[in-house]
Protein backbone atom coordinates (compact mmCIF):
# COMPACT_ATOMS: atom_id res chain seq x y z
CA UNK A 1 0.00 0.00 0.00
CA UNK A 2 1.61 3.28 -1.11
CA UNK A 3 2.16 5.88 1.62
CA UNK A 4 1.28 9.47 0.61
CA UNK A 5 4.48 11.44 0.73
CA UNK A 6 5.41 14.95 -0.38
CA UNK A 7 8.50 15.30 -2.59
CA UNK A 8 9.94 13.33 -5.50
CA UNK A 9 12.72 10.75 -5.75
CA UNK A 10 15.07 10.48 -8.75
CA UNK A 11 16.79 7.12 -9.46
CA UNK A 12 20.04 7.41 -11.46
CA UNK A 13 21.52 4.13 -12.72
CA UNK A 14 23.34 2.49 -15.62
CA UNK A 15 21.38 -0.14 -17.54
CA UNK A 16 24.53 -2.12 -18.35
CA UNK A 17 25.58 -2.06 -14.70
CA UNK A 18 22.57 -2.34 -12.41
CA UNK A 19 19.31 -2.39 -14.39
CA UNK A 20 17.84 -5.35 -12.48
CA UNK A 21 18.74 -3.98 -9.04
CA UNK A 22 17.49 -0.51 -9.97
CA UNK A 23 14.24 -2.05 -11.16
CA UNK A 24 13.73 -3.85 -7.85
CA UNK A 25 14.47 -0.69 -5.90
CA UNK A 26 12.04 1.24 -8.12
CA UNK A 27 9.26 -1.32 -7.52
CA UNK A 28 9.84 -1.21 -3.76
CA UNK A 29 9.81 2.59 -3.64
CA UNK A 30 6.69 2.80 -5.82
CA UNK A 31 4.97 0.40 -3.46
CA UNK A 32 5.85 2.64 -0.50
CA UNK A 33 5.76 6.21 -1.88
CA UNK A 34 3.56 5.81 -4.95
CA UNK A 35 4.40 5.94 -8.64
CA UNK A 36 3.93 9.72 -8.86
CA UNK A 37 6.79 10.27 -6.40
CA UNK A 38 9.40 8.22 -8.28
CA UNK A 39 11.31 9.49 -11.36
CA UNK A 40 13.48 6.82 -12.94
CA UNK A 41 13.97 7.16 -16.71
CA UNK A 42 14.09 10.23 -18.94
CA UNK A 43 11.85 9.52 -21.90
CA UNK A 44 13.02 10.03 -25.48
CA UNK A 45 14.33 13.58 -25.95
CA UNK A 46 13.04 15.43 -29.00
CA UNK A 47 15.44 16.50 -31.74
CA UNK A 48 16.97 19.97 -31.32
CA UNK A 49 16.39 19.97 -27.55
CA UNK A 50 19.31 20.58 -25.15
CA UNK A 51 19.48 17.14 -23.52
CA UNK A 52 21.76 18.45 -20.73
CA UNK A 53 19.10 20.97 -19.70
CA UNK A 54 16.40 18.29 -19.88
CA UNK A 55 18.38 16.06 -17.51
CA UNK A 56 19.27 18.92 -15.17
CA UNK A 57 15.62 20.08 -15.03
CA UNK A 58 14.50 16.52 -14.28
CA UNK A 59 16.98 16.26 -11.41
CA UNK A 60 16.09 19.71 -10.08
CA UNK A 61 12.42 18.76 -9.93
CA UNK A 62 13.27 16.03 -7.35
CA UNK A 63 14.10 16.29 -3.67
CA UNK A 64 16.21 13.13 -3.26
CA UNK A 65 18.52 11.50 -5.83
CA UNK A 66 19.49 7.82 -5.52
CA UNK A 67 22.70 6.94 -7.38
CA UNK A 68 22.60 3.16 -7.94
CA UNK A 69 26.21 1.94 -8.15
CA UNK A 70 27.12 -1.57 -9.27
CA UNK A 71 30.52 -3.18 -9.61
CA UNK A 72 30.98 -1.84 -13.18
CA UNK A 73 29.54 1.65 -12.55
CA UNK A 74 32.96 3.37 -12.54
CA UNK A 75 34.74 1.50 -15.33
CA UNK A 76 31.97 0.72 -17.84
CA UNK A 77 33.02 1.86 -21.31
CA UNK A 78 31.28 3.11 -24.43
CA UNK A 79 31.55 1.84 -28.01
CA UNK A 80 34.88 3.66 -28.44
CA UNK A 81 36.41 1.82 -25.51
CA UNK A 82 36.48 4.96 -23.31
CA UNK A 83 35.08 5.27 -19.80
CA UNK A 84 31.59 6.72 -19.91
CA UNK A 85 32.26 8.76 -16.78
CA UNK A 86 35.05 10.59 -18.64
CA UNK A 87 32.53 11.83 -21.24
CA UNK A 88 31.02 15.20 -20.15
CA UNK A 89 27.84 14.30 -22.10
CA UNK A 90 27.30 11.00 -20.24
CA UNK A 91 23.72 10.97 -18.89
CA UNK A 92 24.65 9.49 -15.50
CA UNK A 93 27.47 12.03 -15.04
CA UNK A 94 25.11 14.89 -15.94
CA UNK A 95 22.44 13.64 -13.53
CA UNK A 96 24.78 13.19 -10.55
CA UNK A 97 26.65 16.45 -11.22
CA UNK A 98 23.35 18.37 -11.44
CA UNK A 99 22.22 16.97 -8.07
CA UNK A 100 25.55 17.73 -6.36
CA UNK A 101 25.73 21.22 -7.86
CA UNK A 102 22.23 22.09 -6.61
CA UNK A 103 22.87 20.58 -3.15
CA UNK A 104 20.06 18.07 -3.55
CA UNK A 105 20.17 15.17 -1.07
CA UNK A 106 22.20 12.47 -2.88
CA UNK A 107 22.26 8.91 -1.50
CA UNK A 108 24.73 6.47 -3.13
CA UNK A 109 23.14 2.99 -3.22
CA UNK A 110 25.74 0.21 -3.52
CA UNK A 111 24.18 -2.94 -5.01
CA UNK A 112 25.49 -6.48 -4.96
CA UNK A 113 28.38 -5.67 -2.59
CA UNK A 114 29.82 -2.96 -4.86
CA UNK A 115 32.40 -0.63 -3.32
CA UNK A 116 32.09 3.15 -3.04
CA UNK A 117 34.18 4.78 -5.80
CA UNK A 118 37.30 6.69 -4.74
CA UNK A 119 37.51 10.39 -5.54
CA UNK A 120 40.52 9.68 -7.79
CA UNK A 121 38.30 7.45 -9.97
CA UNK A 122 35.72 10.19 -10.58
CA UNK A 123 35.64 13.34 -12.73
CA UNK A 124 36.19 16.56 -10.82
CA UNK A 125 32.50 17.54 -10.80
CA UNK A 126 31.57 14.16 -9.20
CA UNK A 127 34.25 14.06 -6.47
CA UNK A 128 31.79 15.29 -3.81
CA UNK A 129 29.83 12.04 -4.32
CA UNK A 130 32.47 10.21 -2.24
CA UNK A 131 31.53 12.39 0.75
CA UNK A 132 27.89 11.28 0.69
CA UNK A 133 27.07 8.42 3.07
CA UNK A 134 26.27 5.28 1.04
CA UNK A 135 23.77 2.48 1.73
CA UNK A 136 24.10 -1.19 0.72
CA UNK A 137 21.20 -2.95 -1.04
CA UNK A 138 21.98 -6.59 -1.87
CA UNK A 139 19.92 -9.45 -3.29
CA UNK A 140 20.05 -11.71 -0.23
CA UNK A 141 19.09 -8.98 2.25
CA UNK A 142 17.02 -6.91 -0.15
CA UNK A 143 13.91 -6.41 2.01
CA UNK A 144 15.85 -5.29 5.08
CA UNK A 145 18.17 -3.11 2.99
CA UNK A 146 15.24 -1.58 1.08
CA UNK A 147 13.44 -0.79 4.36
CA UNK A 148 16.56 0.93 5.68
CA UNK A 149 16.82 2.91 2.41
CA UNK A 150 13.14 3.95 2.67
CA UNK A 151 13.77 5.13 6.23
CA UNK A 152 16.66 7.34 5.08
CA UNK A 153 14.56 8.71 2.20
CA UNK A 154 11.66 9.53 4.51
CA UNK A 155 13.95 11.48 6.85
CA UNK A 156 15.44 13.31 3.85
CA UNK A 157 11.99 14.22 2.47
CA UNK A 158 10.90 15.36 5.91
CA UNK A 159 13.95 17.65 6.08
CA UNK A 160 13.12 19.03 2.62
CA UNK A 161 9.51 19.69 3.65
CA UNK A 162 10.68 21.46 6.81
CA UNK A 163 12.95 23.60 4.68
CA UNK A 164 10.00 24.50 2.43
CA UNK A 165 7.94 25.53 5.45
CA UNK A 166 10.78 27.76 6.68
CA UNK A 167 11.10 29.33 3.24
CA UNK A 168 7.34 29.98 3.11
CA UNK A 169 7.52 31.63 6.54
CA UNK A 170 10.41 33.76 5.36
CA UNK A 171 8.47 34.81 2.24
CA UNK A 172 5.48 35.76 4.39
CA UNK A 173 7.74 37.82 6.67
CA UNK A 174 9.21 39.65 3.65
CA UNK A 175 5.71 40.25 2.26
CA UNK A 176 4.65 41.88 5.52
CA UNK A 177 7.84 43.95 5.59
CA UNK A 178 7.18 45.07 2.01
CA UNK A 179 3.62 46.00 2.86
CA UNK A 180 4.80 47.99 5.86
CA UNK A 181 7.43 49.68 3.72
CA UNK A 182 4.84 50.56 1.07
CA UNK A 183 2.59 51.98 3.75
CA UNK A 184 5.47 54.07 5.07
CA UNK A 185 6.34 55.21 1.55
CA UNK A 186 2.73 56.11 0.89
CA UNK A 187 2.62 58.04 4.13
CA UNK A 188 5.81 59.85 3.10
CA UNK A 189 4.29 60.72 -0.28
CA UNK A 190 1.14 62.00 1.39
CA UNK A 191 3.28 64.07 3.73
CA UNK A 192 5.11 65.62 0.77
CA UNK A 193 1.80 66.33 -0.93
CA UNK A 194 0.49 68.02 2.20
CA UNK A 195 3.61 70.13 2.44
CA UNK A 196 3.24 71.11 -1.23
CA UNK A 197 -0.36 72.16 -0.65
CA UNK A 198 0.74 74.12 2.39
CA UNK A 199 3.38 75.88 0.30
CA UNK A 200 0.79 76.69 -2.35
CA UNK A 201 -1.64 78.04 0.26
CA UNK A 202 1.10 80.20 1.74
CA UNK A 203 2.20 81.39 -1.71
CA UNK A 204 0.52 84.75 -1.43
CA UNK A 205 2.02 85.42 1.99
CA UNK A 206 5.48 84.16 1.08
CA UNK A 207 6.06 85.67 -2.38
CA UNK A 208 9.49 86.98 -1.48
CA UNK A 209 10.54 83.63 -0.01
CA UNK A 210 9.22 81.90 -3.14
CA UNK A 211 11.31 84.11 -5.42
CA UNK A 212 14.41 83.31 -3.41
CA UNK A 213 13.61 79.58 -3.61
CA UNK A 214 13.10 79.83 -7.37
CA UNK A 215 16.44 81.54 -7.80
CA UNK A 216 18.05 78.84 -5.67
CA UNK A 217 16.46 76.03 -7.67
CA UNK A 218 17.37 77.66 -10.97
CA UNK A 219 20.97 77.92 -9.80
CA UNK A 220 20.90 74.24 -8.75
CA UNK A 221 19.41 73.18 -12.09
CA UNK A 222 22.12 75.09 -13.99
CA UNK A 223 24.84 73.68 -11.73
CA UNK A 224 23.59 70.06 -12.07
CA UNK A 225 23.26 70.41 -15.83
CA UNK A 226 26.79 71.84 -16.14
CA UNK A 227 28.09 68.82 -14.18
CA UNK A 228 26.14 66.38 -16.35
CA UNK A 229 23.74 65.35 -13.56
CA UNK A 230 20.63 65.62 -15.70
CA UNK A 231 18.33 63.73 -13.32
CA UNK A 232 19.17 66.16 -10.51
CA UNK A 233 18.72 69.07 -12.93
CA UNK A 234 15.34 67.66 -13.96
CA UNK A 235 14.38 67.31 -10.31
CA UNK A 236 15.29 70.96 -9.66
CA UNK A 237 13.30 72.11 -12.72
CA UNK A 238 10.29 70.07 -11.62
CA UNK A 239 10.45 71.78 -8.22
CA UNK A 240 10.52 75.12 -10.03
CA UNK A 241 7.48 73.98 -12.00
CA UNK A 242 5.68 73.20 -8.76
CA UNK A 243 6.31 76.75 -7.56
CA UNK A 244 5.77 78.40 -10.94
CA UNK A 245 3.71 76.16 -13.27
CA UNK A 246 3.34 78.89 -15.89
CA UNK A 247 7.09 79.33 -16.45
CA UNK A 248 7.22 78.48 -20.20
CA UNK A 249 11.04 78.40 -20.40
CA UNK A 250 11.25 76.06 -17.42
CA UNK A 251 8.54 73.76 -18.82
CA UNK A 252 10.43 73.57 -22.13
CA UNK A 253 13.60 72.74 -20.23
CA UNK A 254 11.77 69.98 -18.32
CA UNK A 255 10.59 68.44 -21.61
CA UNK A 256 14.12 68.55 -23.04
CA UNK A 257 15.63 67.04 -19.87
CA UNK A 258 12.99 64.29 -19.71
CA UNK A 259 13.66 63.41 -23.33
CA UNK A 260 17.40 63.19 -22.66
CA UNK A 261 16.89 61.17 -19.46
CA UNK A 262 14.51 58.76 -21.20
CA UNK A 263 17.01 58.33 -24.02
CA UNK A 264 19.83 57.79 -21.53
CA UNK A 265 17.76 55.22 -19.59
CA UNK A 266 16.98 53.39 -22.83
CA UNK A 267 20.69 53.17 -23.69
CA UNK A 268 21.53 52.20 -20.08
CA UNK A 269 19.13 49.25 -20.25
CA UNK A 270 20.63 48.19 -23.57
CA UNK A 271 24.14 48.42 -22.09
CA UNK A 272 23.16 46.41 -18.98
CA UNK A 273 21.52 43.73 -21.15
CA UNK A 274 24.61 43.54 -23.37
CA UNK A 275 26.88 43.22 -20.34
CA UNK A 276 24.80 40.31 -18.97
CA UNK A 277 25.15 38.46 -22.28
CA UNK A 278 28.87 39.21 -22.57
CA UNK A 279 28.45 41.57 -25.57
CA UNK A 280 30.81 44.22 -24.27
CA UNK A 281 31.28 45.87 -27.67
CA UNK A 282 27.51 46.52 -27.83
CA UNK A 283 27.60 47.92 -24.28
CA UNK A 284 30.49 50.23 -25.25
CA UNK A 285 28.48 51.54 -28.22
CA UNK A 286 25.50 52.14 -25.91
CA UNK A 287 27.60 54.10 -23.40
CA UNK A 288 29.13 56.10 -26.23
CA UNK A 289 25.61 57.08 -27.29
CA UNK A 290 24.95 58.17 -23.70
CA UNK A 291 28.14 60.25 -23.84
CA UNK A 292 26.89 61.95 -27.01
CA UNK A 293 23.68 62.89 -25.21
CA UNK A 294 25.43 63.87 -21.98
CA UNK A 295 29.25 64.20 -22.24
CA UNK A 296 29.40 64.79 -18.45
CA UNK A 297 27.42 61.65 -17.50
CA UNK A 298 28.90 60.43 -14.17
CA UNK A 299 31.84 58.02 -14.65
CA UNK A 300 30.96 57.53 -18.35
CA UNK A 301 34.61 57.42 -19.45
CA UNK A 302 35.46 54.98 -16.66
CA UNK A 303 32.61 52.69 -17.75
CA UNK A 304 33.64 52.83 -21.41
CA UNK A 305 37.31 52.21 -20.63
CA UNK A 306 36.44 49.31 -18.33
CA UNK A 307 34.25 47.64 -20.95
CA UNK A 308 36.81 48.25 -23.70
CA UNK A 309 39.43 46.65 -21.47
CA UNK A 310 37.18 43.63 -20.82
CA UNK A 311 36.58 43.34 -24.58
CA UNK A 312 40.33 43.42 -25.24
CA UNK A 313 40.97 40.85 -22.54
CA UNK A 314 38.23 38.60 -23.91
CA UNK A 315 39.79 38.70 -27.38
CA UNK A 316 43.26 38.06 -25.94
CA UNK A 317 41.93 35.02 -24.03
CA UNK A 318 40.28 33.72 -27.19
CA UNK A 319 43.57 34.15 -29.11
CA UNK A 320 45.45 32.44 -26.27
CA UNK A 321 43.08 29.47 -26.47
CA UNK A 322 43.63 29.24 -30.22
CA UNK A 323 47.40 29.28 -29.71
CA UNK A 324 47.11 26.58 -27.05
CA UNK A 325 44.99 24.39 -29.35
CA UNK A 326 47.77 24.62 -31.97
CA UNK A 327 50.44 23.91 -29.28
CA UNK A 328 51.90 27.40 -29.75
CA UNK A 329 52.49 27.94 -26.04
CA UNK A 330 54.76 30.94 -26.66
CA UNK A 331 51.88 32.70 -28.41
CA UNK A 332 49.46 31.81 -25.59
CA UNK A 333 51.95 33.04 -22.96
CA UNK A 334 52.38 36.33 -24.83
CA UNK A 335 48.61 36.88 -24.87
CA UNK A 336 48.29 36.30 -21.11
CA UNK A 337 51.27 38.60 -20.50
CA UNK A 338 49.41 41.23 -22.52
CA UNK A 339 46.36 40.63 -20.30
CA UNK A 340 48.50 41.12 -17.20
CA UNK A 341 49.96 44.30 -18.66
CA UNK A 342 46.40 45.53 -19.24
CA UNK A 343 45.16 44.40 -15.79
CA UNK A 344 47.72 43.06 -13.33
CA UNK A 345 44.94 41.98 -10.94
CA UNK A 346 42.93 40.04 -13.54
CA UNK A 347 41.74 36.77 -11.91
CA UNK A 348 43.87 33.74 -12.79
CA UNK A 349 46.33 35.59 -15.05
CA UNK A 350 49.39 34.69 -12.96
CA UNK A 351 48.31 31.05 -12.86
CA UNK A 352 47.92 30.96 -16.66
CA UNK A 353 51.31 32.62 -17.18
CA UNK A 354 53.00 30.07 -14.89
CA UNK A 355 51.11 27.23 -16.60
CA UNK A 356 52.27 28.21 -20.07
CA UNK A 357 55.84 28.79 -18.88
CA UNK A 358 55.83 25.20 -17.63
CA UNK A 359 54.33 23.98 -20.91
CA UNK A 360 57.07 25.83 -22.86
CA UNK A 361 59.73 24.33 -20.61
CA UNK A 362 58.24 20.86 -21.17
CA UNK A 363 58.06 21.47 -24.93
CA UNK A 364 61.69 22.63 -25.02
CA UNK A 365 62.77 19.57 -23.06
CA UNK A 366 60.95 17.30 -25.51
CA UNK A 367 62.62 18.96 -28.50
CA UNK A 368 66.02 18.82 -26.84
CA UNK A 369 65.48 15.16 -25.96
CA UNK A 370 64.57 14.28 -29.56
CA UNK A 371 67.63 16.17 -30.82
CA UNK A 372 69.90 14.33 -28.39
CA UNK A 373 68.56 10.95 -29.51
CA UNK A 374 69.39 11.96 -33.10
CA UNK A 375 72.95 12.84 -32.05
CA UNK A 376 73.29 9.46 -30.37
CA UNK A 377 72.14 7.66 -33.51
CA UNK A 378 74.65 9.73 -35.55
CA UNK A 379 77.47 8.69 -33.20
CA UNK A 380 77.95 12.25 -31.85
CA UNK A 381 78.24 10.94 -28.30
CA UNK A 382 80.07 13.94 -26.84
CA UNK A 383 77.51 16.42 -28.17
CA UNK A 384 74.73 14.11 -27.01
CA UNK A 385 76.22 13.96 -23.51
CA UNK A 386 76.48 17.76 -23.31
CA UNK A 387 72.81 18.06 -24.31
CA UNK A 388 71.86 15.48 -21.65
CA UNK A 389 73.74 17.60 -19.09
CA UNK A 390 71.74 20.60 -20.30
CA UNK A 391 68.46 18.69 -19.85
CA UNK A 392 69.52 17.57 -16.36
CA UNK A 393 70.27 21.17 -15.37
CA UNK A 394 66.80 22.22 -16.52
CA UNK A 395 64.96 19.31 -14.89
CA UNK A 396 66.92 16.65 -12.93
CA UNK A 397 63.82 14.40 -12.81
CA UNK A 398 62.99 14.49 -16.52
CA UNK A 399 62.33 10.98 -17.84
CA UNK A 400 65.35 8.67 -17.22
CA UNK A 401 67.96 11.44 -17.68
CA UNK A 402 70.28 10.28 -14.87
CA UNK A 403 70.34 6.73 -16.23
CA UNK A 404 70.92 8.03 -19.78
CA UNK A 405 73.91 10.11 -18.67
CA UNK A 406 75.47 7.21 -16.75
CA UNK A 407 75.02 4.81 -19.66
CA UNK A 408 76.44 7.27 -22.19
CA UNK A 409 79.40 8.15 -19.97
CA UNK A 410 80.12 4.45 -19.58
CA UNK A 411 79.86 3.83 -23.35
CA UNK A 412 82.16 6.76 -24.09
CA UNK A 413 84.65 5.55 -21.48
CA UNK A 414 84.68 2.03 -22.99
CA UNK A 415 85.05 3.32 -26.57
CA UNK A 416 87.75 5.86 -25.80
CA UNK A 417 89.56 3.29 -23.63
CA UNK A 418 89.55 0.75 -26.45
CA UNK A 419 90.72 3.35 -28.96
CA UNK A 420 93.49 4.50 -26.60
CA UNK A 421 94.77 0.92 -26.33
CA UNK A 422 94.67 0.64 -30.12
CA UNK A 423 96.70 3.86 -30.41
CA UNK A 424 99.28 2.52 -27.98
CA UNK A 425 99.67 -0.60 -30.13
CA UNK A 426 99.93 1.49 -33.31
CA UNK A 427 102.55 3.75 -31.72
CA UNK A 428 104.58 0.69 -30.76
CA UNK A 429 104.37 -0.34 -34.39
CA UNK A 430 105.24 3.28 -35.32
CA UNK A 431 102.11 3.49 -37.47
CA UNK A 432 101.62 7.20 -36.85
CA UNK A 433 99.00 7.79 -39.55
CA UNK A 434 96.57 5.21 -38.12
CA UNK A 435 97.40 6.37 -34.58
CA UNK A 436 96.49 9.96 -35.58
CA UNK A 437 93.16 8.78 -37.01
CA UNK A 438 92.39 6.91 -33.77
CA UNK A 439 93.24 9.97 -31.66
CA UNK A 440 90.99 12.13 -33.84
CA UNK A 441 88.19 9.59 -33.36
CA UNK A 442 88.75 9.69 -29.58
CA UNK A 443 88.53 13.51 -29.66
CA UNK A 444 85.30 13.35 -31.66
CA UNK A 445 83.78 11.00 -29.06
CA UNK A 446 85.15 12.90 -26.05
CA UNK A 447 86.86 16.27 -26.62
CA UNK A 448 87.87 16.32 -22.93
CA UNK A 449 89.78 13.02 -23.09
CA UNK A 450 92.99 13.49 -21.00
CA UNK A 451 95.84 15.14 -23.02
CA UNK A 452 94.06 14.39 -26.32
CA UNK A 453 95.06 17.70 -27.95
CA UNK A 454 98.67 17.28 -26.78
CA UNK A 455 98.82 13.74 -28.17
CA UNK A 456 97.42 14.79 -31.55
CA UNK A 457 99.78 17.75 -31.68
CA UNK A 458 102.73 15.46 -30.85
CA UNK A 459 101.94 13.09 -33.76
CA UNK A 460 101.36 16.05 -36.09
CA UNK A 461 104.80 17.41 -35.12
CA UNK A 462 106.28 13.98 -35.91
CA UNK A 463 104.66 14.18 -39.36
CA UNK A 464 106.11 17.68 -39.81
CA UNK A 465 109.56 16.37 -38.81
CA UNK A 466 109.21 13.53 -41.34
CA UNK A 467 108.26 16.05 -44.06
CA UNK A 468 111.32 18.20 -43.30
CA UNK A 469 113.67 15.18 -43.28
CA UNK A 470 112.18 14.00 -46.57
CA UNK A 471 112.78 17.40 -48.20
CA UNK A 472 116.38 17.45 -46.88
CA UNK A 473 117.01 13.93 -48.21
CA UNK A 474 115.71 14.95 -51.66
CA UNK A 475 118.07 17.98 -51.65
CA UNK A 476 121.06 15.74 -50.77
CA UNK A 477 120.12 13.44 -53.65
CA UNK A 478 120.03 16.38 -56.07
CA UNK A 479 123.57 17.29 -54.84
CA UNK A 480 124.65 13.63 -55.15
CA UNK A 481 125.28 13.50 -51.41
CA UNK A 482 123.85 10.03 -51.18
CA UNK A 483 125.36 9.15 -47.78
CA UNK A 484 123.71 12.23 -46.24
CA UNK A 485 120.44 11.42 -48.01
CA UNK A 486 120.58 7.85 -46.70
CA UNK A 487 121.15 9.13 -43.18
CA UNK A 488 117.97 11.28 -43.46
CA UNK A 489 115.95 8.32 -44.74
CA UNK A 490 117.14 6.27 -41.73
CA UNK A 491 115.96 9.05 -39.43
CA UNK A 492 112.56 8.96 -41.17
CA UNK A 493 112.42 5.19 -40.68
CA UNK A 494 113.16 5.60 -36.98
CA UNK A 495 110.12 7.86 -36.70
CA UNK A 496 107.72 5.80 -38.83
CA UNK A 497 108.53 2.80 -41.06
Amino acid sequence: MATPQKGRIFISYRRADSQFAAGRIYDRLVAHFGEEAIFMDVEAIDGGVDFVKVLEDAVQSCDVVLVVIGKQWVNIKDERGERRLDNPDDFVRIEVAAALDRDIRVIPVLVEFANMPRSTELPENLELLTRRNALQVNHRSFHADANRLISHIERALEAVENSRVLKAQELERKRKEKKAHEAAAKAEQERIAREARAVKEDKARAREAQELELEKLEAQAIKHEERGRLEDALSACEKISELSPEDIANNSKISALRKKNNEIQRWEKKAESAIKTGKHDVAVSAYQEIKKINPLFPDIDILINKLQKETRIGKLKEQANQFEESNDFHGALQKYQEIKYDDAQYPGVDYQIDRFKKKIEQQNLERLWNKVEGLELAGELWLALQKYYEIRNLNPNYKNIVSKIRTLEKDMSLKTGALDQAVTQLKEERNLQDALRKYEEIKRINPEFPDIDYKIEKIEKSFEKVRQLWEEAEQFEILYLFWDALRKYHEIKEITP
Side-chain angles (χ1 to χ4, degrees), residues 131-148:
R131 296 165 61 178
R132 301 299 175 100
N133 190 35
L135 298 176
Q136 287 278 352
V137 176
N138 298 306
H139 177 71
R140 293 182 178 178
S141 56
F142 177 80
H143 293 291
D145 294 344
N147 289 336
R148 185 169 63 255

Side-chain angles (χ1 to χ4, degrees), residues 13 28 44 47 85 100 143 152 242 251 268 270 285 318 335 346 366 372 380 419 424 435 478 492:
Y13 71 103
R28 184 67 180 86
L85 276 182
L100 294 172
H143 293 291
H152 279 269
E242 290 176 2
N251 291 337
E268 277 188 302
K270 188 172 183 179
S285 298
E318 183 178 349
K335 294 304 173 184
Y346 188 78
E366 287 291 339
V372 173
E380 298 290 343
L419 288 171
T424 302
I478 293 170
I492 291 173

Side-chain angles (χ1 to χ4, degrees), residues 299-315:
D299 299 327
I300 187 66
D301 291 323
I302 294 174
L303 286 169
I304 291 173
N305 291 335
K306 180 181 177 182
L307 287 170
Q308 287 175 336
K309 182 174 73 173
E310 290 177 357
T311 301
R312 288 195 304 273
I313 289 175
K315 290 180 179 178

Side-chain angles (χ1 to χ4, degrees), residues 218-235:
E218 287 174 357
Q220 287 179 354
I222 293 170
K223 182 179 179 180
H224 289 318
E225 191 169 7
E226 288 175 346
R227 294 182 177 180
R229 301 174 66 175
L230 301 186
E231 289 185 356
D232 292 336
L234 175 61
S235 177

